[in-house]
Amino acid sequence: MTRPDEAPVVRLAALCASIGPRLPEPAATAVASVAARLAEPALRVAVGGRLNAGKSTLVNALLGQSLAATGATECTRLVTWYRSGPRNRVLVRRRDGSAHQVPGAAGGGVPQGPGALGADAGEIAELVVEAPNQALDRSYRLVDTPGMDSLSGLDDLSLAALDRSDALLYVMPHPGEGDAEALEALRRQSGRGVTAARALGVLSRIDELGRGTGDPGPQADRLCTTYARRLTGLVADVVPIAGLLAQTSRCERFTDRDTASVALLAAMPPARLERVLYSADAFLSWPDGPLGSEERRRLLSLLGRYGILVAARRYDGGSTRALLAELRRCSGFDALEERVRREFVDRADHLRAATALRALTAVAHGLGSGGAGDELRAGLALARRHPVLRQAALSAALADLAAGRLILDEDRAGALELLTRGRTAAECLGLPAAAPATETAARAAAEAGRWRTYETAPRRTTREHARTARALCEALHFAARSKR
């Protein structure tokens, strides 16, 4: 949708450089922060969700390293950023603006125990965990946010972390109406920033569906389809994963000793093993099995009941590495990683530009009239004309459509979805990828005309979104004409 020399990140960086130094404080510092962020190549991805949703487990799986504290500890109630560094350490940023460093836990991550962070949790604004990690070097940085303990949403620190992020993985163990309400609350609280354009849902514990030992795939696929439809406009899709299995297969906690335990279970009659895995208590209290209590407890903590059964069924006498590769495949991690790449990493510059635009718009709203403030507002108005940023602005329309705040006929609803999710001008307009520029320009002009008729609709929401859709179509029209 744009040539590299027209990239919105370049336009916004130039705007920061030309106007930022002439702004009063604290606006100048805020703009300098946006400029520094635009200079970073890495995407920032937040992991959020309700309490005990499996967020930290997913963070570990994505990092391929057990850096995030799991379970109900004080660390899981803190905003925690992860970035690559030469050694394991944790930067503790306090609410009063001060900061200090503490050594990371053995193997990396947040140290546990009383006094390990050098401050009480209530005094801490956020943690920054550093560790040598190729995943953090390669594509994106992660931030783990505290769970939402009510539909009232997150505290100011957590919302600030989401606002500083470019994309969101919203984690749901068993999705329900509460998640739709929570996402809608996040959308309202974060200035309409949480939309399907930058959010992906994750069904995080598919291994617990049904009895917890059978194949969860078919039921998980049905649930994901159902809730992707219910969360239209709030997330791009919902992807299933067995979070615990993904974490274990990726984080090198599973040893040759554990493989030996799996080998003993694999030698048992399958029906007997499935019976004893009917419940965690039955497995842990198994009186005549081949494993001791310590081995059983460890396997259960690493794999869960479903994972144990899968490991026993898939074990063929091979190495630990081969078994972990099977567990990773069965966890659904590869499919999730591919969606993260397609939805976020491949669109990194577009998402980073939208984040920067929101931050700069907030700065501009706090400035009085005249001088550099007027120049900033004019520069932002010009930047918003870029097709990528018009598309980002239009993404909120899908949430309004799903919630009934935007009323469109079937034809316009379909056209809206194409406009908000297309990656090229042709996709946005429902044309084949190889459509010539003349056809693209003609279709864009026709679509602009159709949206223009909605700009006089009775509802203000309809008028506003129609105006944005029409402007996007016009931008696509002129871009296509320039290529003829």
Side-chain angles (χ1 to χ4, degrees):
M1 292 174 61
T2 180
R3 297 193 305 271
D5 61 321
E6 293 179 327
V9 289
V10 175
R11 292 188 182 185
L12 292 172
L15 183 63
C16 291
S18 65
I19 297 177
R22 294 186 282 120
L23 293 172
E25 291 293 353
T29 297
V31 171
S33 177
V34 174
R37 171 68 189 99
L38 288 170
E40 296 176 8
L43 191 71
R44 293 179 177 179
V45 179
V47 180
R50 307 292 296 279
L51 283 173
N52 302 316
K55 299 182 297 298
S56 298
T57 299
L58 179 61
V59 167
N60 287 334
L62 290 167
L63 294 177
Q65 189 175 357
S66 295
L67 297 180
T70 57
T73 70
E74 71 172 12
C75 294
T76 61
R77 297 191 292 271
L78 297 171
V79 172
T80 307
W81 294 83
Y82 297 88
R83 70 186 185 195
S84 179
R87 60 184 183 274
N88 295 320
R89 62 184 179 182
V90 178
L91 176 65
V92 181
R93 290 177 174 158
R94 302 168 71 117
R95 291 174 182 260
D96 64 7
S98 63
H100 64 272
Q101 290 184 353
V102 298
V110 182
Q112 302 294 306
L117 295 176
D120 293 334
E123 300 173 324
I124 298 174
E126 63 183 20
L127 305 177
V128 181
V129 176
E130 287 189 357
N133 187 286
Q134 290 184 347
L136 289 169
D137 278 330
R138 186 175 63 248
S139 299
Y140 49 78
R141 293 180 179 177
L142 289 174
V143 54
D144 193 0
T145 62
M148 299 174 65
D149 58 1
S150 72
L151 295 183
S152 61
L154 299 171
D155 61 22
D156 290 342
L157 293 172
S158 300
L159 285 171
L162 286 175
D163 285 342
R164 289 157 57 197
S165 301
D166 307 304
L168 169 67
L169 287 171
Y170 185 82
V171 185
M172 304 169 282
H174 304 293
E177 290 302 321
D179 286 299
E181 295 177 44
L183 278 165
E184 180 63 28
L186 279 180
R187 190 182 77 88
R188 291 194 304 269
Q189 289 174 294
S190 62
R192 301 170 73 89
V194 177
T195 68
R198 71 177 191 116
L200 187 65
V202 180
L203 184 62
S204 60
R205 293 178 184 157
I206 64 170
D207 49 314
E208 297 179 2
L209 296 175
R211 292 177 51 204
T213 55
D215 179 11
Q219 186 178 356
D221 289 342
R222 288 193 297 271
L223 272 175
C224 287
T225 299
T226 297
Y227 285 98
R229 190 179 304 117
R230 291 188 183 181
L231 299 175
T232 294
L234 297 171
V235 298
D237 202 356
V238 179
V239 183
I241 188 173
L244 181 61
L245 206 57
Q247 175 181 255
T248 295
S249 70
R250 294 266 298 146
C251 292
E252 299 182 354
R253 297 169 58 198
F254 194 91
T255 66
D256 289 342
R257 179 183 173 188
D258 300 313
T259 300
S261 295
V262 168
L264 292 174
L265 296 179
M268 295 182 56
R272 184 184 177 199
L273 180 59
E274 187 166 346
R275 280 197 303 273
V276 81
L277 284 169
Y278 181 81
S279 71
D281 288 342
F283 182 69
L284 291 174
S285 61
W286 192 7
D288 56 351
L291 301 180
S293 60
E294 180 184 344
E295 287 80 7
R296 280 177 276 140
R297 190 173 301 279
R298 176 172 168 81
L299 277 187
L300 196 63
S301 69
L302 288 172
L303 302 174
R305 292 182 296 136
Y306 168 71
I308 292 172
L309 196 60
V310 166
R313 287 174 175 171
R314 300 300 175 101
Y315 180 70
D316 60 1
S319 66
T320 297
R321 175 174 293 185
L323 180 58
L324 288 175
E326 277 296 299
L327 296 179
R328 170 173 169 158
R329 189 183 67 79
C330 294
S331 73
F333 178 81
D334 290 337
L336 173 62
E337 190 173 50
E338 170 60 19
R339 287 305 299 271
V340 169
R341 183 196 62 78
R342 187 152 38 111
E343 298 291 340
F344 298 156
V345 177
D346 288 353
R347 299 170 52 238
D349 280 354
H350 297 177
L351 293 168
R352 291 168 60 235
T355 302
L357 181 65
R358 287 194 303 273
L360 292 173
T361 299
V363 172
H365 283 166
L367 294 171
S369 59
D374 282 350
E375 290 184 51
L376 176 60
R377 283 184 283 269
L380 291 175
L382 183 62
R384 289 189 189 96
R385 296 180 185 176
H386 194 285
V388 164
L389 294 179
R390 290 202 187 278
Q391 188 181 44
L394 189 61
S395 64
L398 283 180
D400 285 338
L401 181 66
R405 293 184 293 268
L406 173 62
I407 307 298
L408 296 174
D409 60 33
E410 187 175 345
D411 173 73
R412 284 301 88 196
L416 176 65
E417 183 149 354
L418 288 173
L419 273 179
T420 54
R421 295 188 175 176
R423 295 168 183 270
T424 65
E427 282 186 12
C428 285
L429 298 167
L431 293 172
T438 52
E439 184 178 359
T440 301
R443 175 67 66 86
E447 283 294 299
R450 294 186 184 101
W451 284 113
R452 189 175 291 109
T453 63
Y454 282 80
E455 292 185 50
T456 57
R459 290 193 177 196
R460 186 180 70 175
T461 301
T462 303
R463 296 195 301 271
E464 290 177 350
H465 289 315
R467 191 176 302 117
T468 304
R470 185 259 305 160
L472 173 56
C473 290
E474 290 177 346
L476 296 176
H477 168 75
F478 289 115
R481 283 189 61 186
S482 69
K483 296 178 180 179
R484 291 191 299 182

